[in-house]
Amino acid sequence: MKRCVRLLVTFALAAPAPAWAQGLFRKSDPLEVTITTRLGTLIRDRDSTDRVMHGAELSYNDSSGAAVKVAVSLRTRGHFRRQARNCDFPPLKVEMTREAAKNTLFEGNRTLKLASNCRPSRSEYEQYILQEFALYRMYQALTPWSFRTRLAHVTYQDSTGKTKPVQSWAFFVEDDGDLAKRRNARKFEIEGVSFDDLEAAKFGYLQLFQYMAGNTDWSVSGLHNITLLQDSIGTVHPVPFDFDWSGAVDARYAFPDRSLPIRLVRERLWRGDCRTAEAMAPAIERFLSQRAEMDSAYMTLTPMAPPVREKMRKYLAEFWSLLDNPKKLVSEFKRTCAIGN
């Protein structure tokens, strides 16, 4: 990348989030959640560019078994998966007031993404959600500069009784503003940032992870599936999200950008910088040290079908075998690192 942006900015950081914040992410066991709304209206809100909010009630049982109800607002989000021609059910954003969330599992969260099933009636799409969730958890094992997630089995109920309920796996994703507070940083929403502007270690993790997952659907300069956070000394940390177009998931609807020299998402392509073997060594060491925890993210995910788990294991095993020969690995990267991102 040729363009460089001067990044050092002085700013007053918000106070770190209190200790009770984001209780949703303190545990990793799946939630059972019911969301009640005008379901038919929500599902039909697909192709408009207008921001439409849908009133809803989110309910779950607490540790004592008592029902807890939270008033929330929903809106459809995303690009590809929001379009009705691509998916039967849209990704959602869940918003709630501070008062509504008080004394509930969602206290400390005002906004959350809900990664939902594209086609709830088809079992393979259910698996895509679980695979993508596992990838988020794998990246969390590498660095705290990552989005927290919580798996949920969701029943979507229609408040009018006219639309049949929809049940599916989904997962909540931490809001980028909450992530920034947690890391004592702020969002840095400037396009045109170059690789050289980024914190080297975090970017090393990110680009090696994207290669491992077989994900080319990201761009630093275009802020595509990348959040940038700037800490108090002006250092910019990149955080990836949205992994459903990766080779590790291998979704039926996913395909590489036509400008790239690959034709299938399962073909890995290095889209990072042109580092030497020495410069890549810290990232490789980090991956190797965290391999057991990363592998457990999908190996211990009970709802994942055994054949899907094995397919994912074999695909990731190809990557792990490359780490045994760092020079060969870097040589592979240098073939395409000039493509940029």
Side-chain angles (χ1 to χ4, degrees):
M1 298 177 64
K2 295 180 179 180
R3 185 178 177 185
C4 183
V5 177
R6 184 175 178 82
L7 300 180
L8 185 57
V9 178
T10 301
F11 63 92
L13 290 168
W20 50 256
Q22 301 205 61
L24 174 65
F25 301 116
R26 290 183 187 173
K27 295 183 178 180
S28 59
D29 56 309
L31 293 172
E32 283 287 341
V33 173
T34 298
I35 294 177
T36 305
T37 187
R38 295 178 67 90
L39 188 57
T41 303
L42 176 70
I43 293 174
R44 289 191 295 271
D45 179 17
R46 309 301 294 279
D47 300 310
S48 171
T49 57
D50 296 332
R51 177 187 173 95
V52 179
M53 304 298 291
H54 303 265
E57 179 184 84
L58 184 155
S59 61
Y60 66 95
N61 291 336
D62 64 17
S63 58
S64 69
V68 179
K69 298 180 179 180
V70 185
V72 301
S73 295
L74 307 174
R75 64 181 174 90
T76 59
R77 63 176 182 84
H79 300 287
F80 180 90
R81 282 189 283 183
R82 183 183 177 186
Q83 299 175 47
R85 67 174 182 269
N86 298 322
C87 289
D88 297 334
F89 198 93
L92 300 172
K93 179 160 282 190
V94 183
E95 301 182 13
M96 64 200 79
T97 65
R98 183 177 290 106
E99 186 62 28
K102 189 175 181 180
N103 297 323
T104 76
L105 185 62
F106 295 89
E107 185 166 6
N109 296 109
R110 297 287 300 280
T111 303
L112 292 160
K113 287 182 180 179
L114 183 60
S116 50
N117 190 333
C118 174
R119 299 189 186 278
S121 62
R122 299 175 64 171
S123 59
E124 66 177 309
Y125 283 78
E126 191 89 319
Q127 295 299 310
Y128 296 160
I129 283 290
L130 298 170
Q131 290 169 273
E132 185 180 12
F133 170 74
L135 289 172
Y136 270 94
R137 301 291 289 187
M138 291 176 77
Y139 197 72
Q140 283 180 259
L142 288 171
T143 171
W145 292 85
S146 56
F147 287 102
R148 289 175 173 174
T149 55
R150 182 76 179 269
L151 189 64
H153 190 253
V154 184
T155 300
Y156 303 92
Q157 296 270 22
D158 181 26
S159 58
T160 70
K162 297 179 180 179
T163 303
K164 291 182 179 180
V166 174
Q167 288 188 322
S168 178
W169 286 106
F171 60 91
F172 291 100
V173 182
E174 181 180 25
D175 179 68
D176 53 6
D178 290 336
L179 170 59
K181 289 179 181 178
R182 180 163 59 84
R183 301 310 303 161
N184 197 27
R186 72 164 191 171
K187 292 190 290 184
F188 190 79
E189 299 174 324
I190 296 179
E191 293 188 2
V193 171
S194 77
F195 290 167
D196 292 338
D197 294 321
L198 304 176
E199 199 280 327
K202 306 304 184 304
F203 186 48
Y205 300 161
L206 184 151
Q207 56 191 332
L208 192 57
F209 182 85
Q210 301 283 32
Y211 183 80
M212 178 194 76
N215 188 29
T216 59
D217 187 33
W218 61 284
S219 170
V220 170
S221 62
L223 291 181
H224 177 59
N225 293 337
I226 295 290
T227 291
L228 298 180
L229 302 178
Q230 187 180 49
D231 64 25
S232 59
I233 62 173
T235 303
V236 177
H237 305 257
V239 184
F241 59 91
D242 280 6
F243 305 116
D244 63 308
W245 282 55
S246 67
V249 174
D250 196 22
R252 181 182 294 273
Y253 54 76
F255 54 87
D257 188 279
R258 293 180 180 178
S259 66
L260 300 177
I262 57 175
R263 293 294 172 263
L264 301 172
V265 292
R266 287 181 70 83
E267 296 180 63
R268 288 186 171 89
L269 178 73
W270 181 258
R271 301 199 67 202
D273 58 21
C274 299
R275 298 191 181 197
T276 64
E278 291 74 19
M280 186 59 68
I284 293 175
E285 182 178 349
R286 179 64 177 172
F287 271 70
L288 292 173
S289 68
Q290 296 301 109
R291 179 176 178 178
E293 186 175 350
M294 294 173 73
D295 283 345
S296 70
Y298 66 93
M299 293 298 291
T300 62
L301 190 55
T302 305
M304 186 178 288
V308 174
R309 183 182 297 112
E310 179 61 13
K311 180 182 177 181
M312 198 169 183
R313 186 197 66 78
K314 287 182 177 179
Y315 184 75
L316 296 175
E318 296 172 2
F319 165 80
W320 291 115
S321 66
L322 284 175
L323 295 194
D324 293 332
N325 191 337
K327 289 186 177 180
K328 180 180 178 181
L329 185 69
V330 172
S331 177
E332 170 66 16
F333 296 165
K334 286 184 177 179
R335 292 193 309 105
T336 58
C337 63
I339 290 177
N341 188 278

